[in-house]
């Protein structure tokens, strides 16, 4: 999901790592929760039975806070999609409206041309 996050996790948790920065690992995992399809609620925190509380810095994160920036990006993306779709459908409607007026004018013109060639019954009697 994110090569940078994957590298942080790998470098800190690989066999033979000389040290582990737990907060960096936690932040790297949390940065890709949404891409992995998990939430803070799904993961939870690291509980200490001895203290009957979460370890310091290992409390569950807050989905609203963690995904706030991505929701803003999604909203902007959705707005752009709405503008694009609105423009496309508006353009299609305009084309259909123009075609309707052109067809209406063509039919009116065709009727007028037929009226020029139409003769009445009296004209036919005079020819005989």
């Amino acid at each position: 999901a994110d090569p940078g996050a994957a590298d942080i996790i790998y470098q800190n948790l690989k066999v033979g790592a000389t040290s582990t920065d737990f907060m960096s690992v936690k932040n790297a995992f949390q940065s890709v929760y949404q891409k992995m399809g998990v939430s803070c609620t799904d993961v939870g925190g690291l509980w200490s039975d001895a203290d009957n509380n979460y370890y310091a810095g290992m409390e569950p994160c807050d989905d609203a806070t963690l995904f706030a920036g991505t929701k803003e990006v999604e909203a902007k993306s959705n707005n752009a999609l709405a503008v694009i779709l609105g423009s496309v459908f508006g353009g299609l409607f305009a084309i259909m409206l123009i075609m309707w007026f052109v067809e209406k004018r063509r039919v009116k013109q065709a009727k007028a041309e037929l009226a020029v060639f139409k003769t009445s019954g009296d004209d036919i009697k005079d020819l005989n």
Side-chain angles (χ1 to χ4, degrees):
D2 180 359
D7 188 56
I8 290 170
I9 294 165
Y10 174 74
Q11 293 301 327
N12 280 275
L13 300 181
K14 69 181 178 181
V15 174
T18 56
S19 66
T20 300
D21 182 349
F22 292 105
M23 289 309 293
S24 293
V25 172
K26 179 182 178 191
N27 291 334
F29 270 114
Q30 288 177 350
S31 72
V32 294
Y33 277 1
Q34 191 171 27
K35 292 177 183 176
M36 295 187 325
V38 298
S39 67
C40 294
T41 308
D42 295 331
V43 176
L46 186 58
W47 185 259
S48 169
D49 285 332
D51 297 331
N52 200 28
N53 202 354
Y54 291 102
Y55 285 98
M58 295 296 164
E59 301 86 3
C61 60
D62 178 32
D63 289 324
T65 305
L66 185 64
F67 300 139
T70 56
K71 296 215 184 267
E72 184 178 312
V73 170
E74 280 181 25
K76 287 181 182 178
S77 176
N78 289 342
N79 288 345
L81 180 62
V83 169
I84 291 168
L85 289 176
S87 299
V88 168
F89 288 118
L92 289 174
F93 178 75
I95 290 169
M96 289 176 56
L97 192 60
I98 291 168
M99 289 175 60
W100 181 75
F101 279 117
V102 168
E103 181 63 16
K104 187 175 179 181
R105 184 173 179 182
R106 190 191 66 76
V107 168
K108 186 177 182 180
Q109 189 176 13
K111 285 182 181 179
E113 289 174 2
L114 285 176
V116 171
F117 296 109
K118 192 175 188 182
T119 57
S120 66
D122 294 337
D123 292 339
I124 295 174
K125 289 180 186 175
D126 290 339
L127 293 175
N128 289 332

